[in-house]
Amino acid sequence: MDSLSQIALGSAVGVAVMGRRTAVWKAALWGAIGGTLPDLDAFIDHGDAILNMTRHRAESHALFILTLAAPVLAWIVSRIHGEAALFKRWWLALWLVLITHPLLDTMTVYGTQLLQPFTDHPFGVGSIFIIDPLYTLPLIVGVVAALRLKNTRGLNWNVAGLALSTLYLAWSVGAQQHATQVARASLQQDGVQTSGLLVTPSPFNTILWRLVATTPTHYLEGHYSLLDDDRPITWTRHERGAGLLERHASEPSVARMAAFTHGFYSVSETGGRLFVTDLRMGQEPTYTFHFDLGTEAARANGGHRPELKGRRPDIAASLDWLWRRMRGERLSPPTVPRPTPQPGL
């Protein structure tokens, strides 16, 4: 999730656990700090763009490692504020703050390696977008109320904010399951045999869902809104690069993307350069994680490191489409001209 959501969650959890055993501002502050710490791994350069992507949300998001870090952070905090008697309570609060961060991240589609160092499997429910105001606002309101109201009413507001945000996560899972059933029925009706189906929310909401189905040779993209009528889902079909997938399956970067995306990726070649794309984040043809692996010669002699070449959509057109499509209007996604390949680049 975005940094603001993690800060709000950390503060809300810290305040809920500490109550008025300490000043509310202290619990909110250290909750915010603890809620931010796991994402500091984003500043680590692992050597190339694909490694930076697949090593984010790894050890710093591991439940085991964060559990070991919690008493150390609690000791520091309790000593800074002269509250050694509250060490155990700070330990509990900061442990919950730390582990709720990766648990919330797991609700997104990105991939969170919760069980490091025992496995690098990336877990991702994919039921909530990385930024969703309906999740974050109740947390912010609750924390602000706890800071401003000097009686138990403020703490009650904070608990209510946590409860509402948690219920919203539960709603997102239920909505995702419904959209998945609709997508599977549509594919079955169209006679499409798929090897995988991905159902994730479109930006900022849990009403409009993006659907991606894969076959050995193609991927299909569609959208389904909970406000849609009974008209069938419109699927668009795109090449996955079957020949390239087979030929370059052993390439370290391609293999790493295949594992990290759970198979939701494509491979293409333009101007003699190999590209691999994460199909989970973005929308045809603008994907967040689109990597240039270089030419065959450059890859053979190690002269090229994968580079991120992700593309951004037209924000104004995309937001207009998103709002109208979410309400049930049947619209094609906004088109974005593909860049013309430049020889030698």
Side-chain angles (χ1 to χ4, degrees), residues 66-198:
L66 292 175
T67 296
L68 295 180
V72 177
L73 184 58
W75 184 87
I76 293 171
V77 172
S78 62
R79 269 34 182 200
I80 286 176
H81 296 296
E83 297 176 346
L86 291 176
F87 166 71
K88 290 184 178 180
R89 197 70 184 186
W90 275 115
W91 183 354
L92 174 62
L94 292 170
W95 176 69
L96 288 172
V97 166
L98 290 173
I99 67 166
T100 51
H101 178 120
L103 291 176
L104 177 58
D105 277 346
T106 301
M107 301 303 293
T108 70
V109 76
Y110 185 95
T112 306
Q113 298 172 46
L114 292 175
L115 300 183
Q116 284 278 6
F118 310 107
T119 175
D120 58 5
H121 179 83
F123 296 90
V125 176
S127 67
I128 191 167
F129 190 68
I130 189 172
I131 302 173
D132 193 320
L134 289 182
Y135 174 79
T136 309
L137 284 175
L139 295 172
I140 294 175
V141 170
V143 171
V144 170
L147 288 168
R148 292 182 64 89
L149 301 176
K150 302 305 181 184
N151 48 37
T152 56
R153 286 180 58 211
L155 298 180
N156 291 339
W157 273 83
N158 183 65
V159 171
L162 275 169
L164 284 173
S165 64
T166 304
L167 286 173
Y168 185 70
L169 288 180
W171 149 262
S172 75
V173 173
Q176 181 189 44
Q177 292 305 308
H178 172 70
T180 300
Q181 292 174 0
V182 172
R184 286 185 178 165
S186 174
L187 291 166
Q188 185 176 12
Q189 184 175 358
D190 292 344
V192 179
Q193 299 293 323
T194 64
S195 53
L197 175 62
L198 179 73

Side-chain angles (χ1 to χ4, degrees), residues 59-74:
E59 288 84 0
S60 70
H61 287 60
L63 299 179
F64 176 72
I65 294 173
L66 292 175
T67 296
L68 295 180
V72 177
L73 184 58

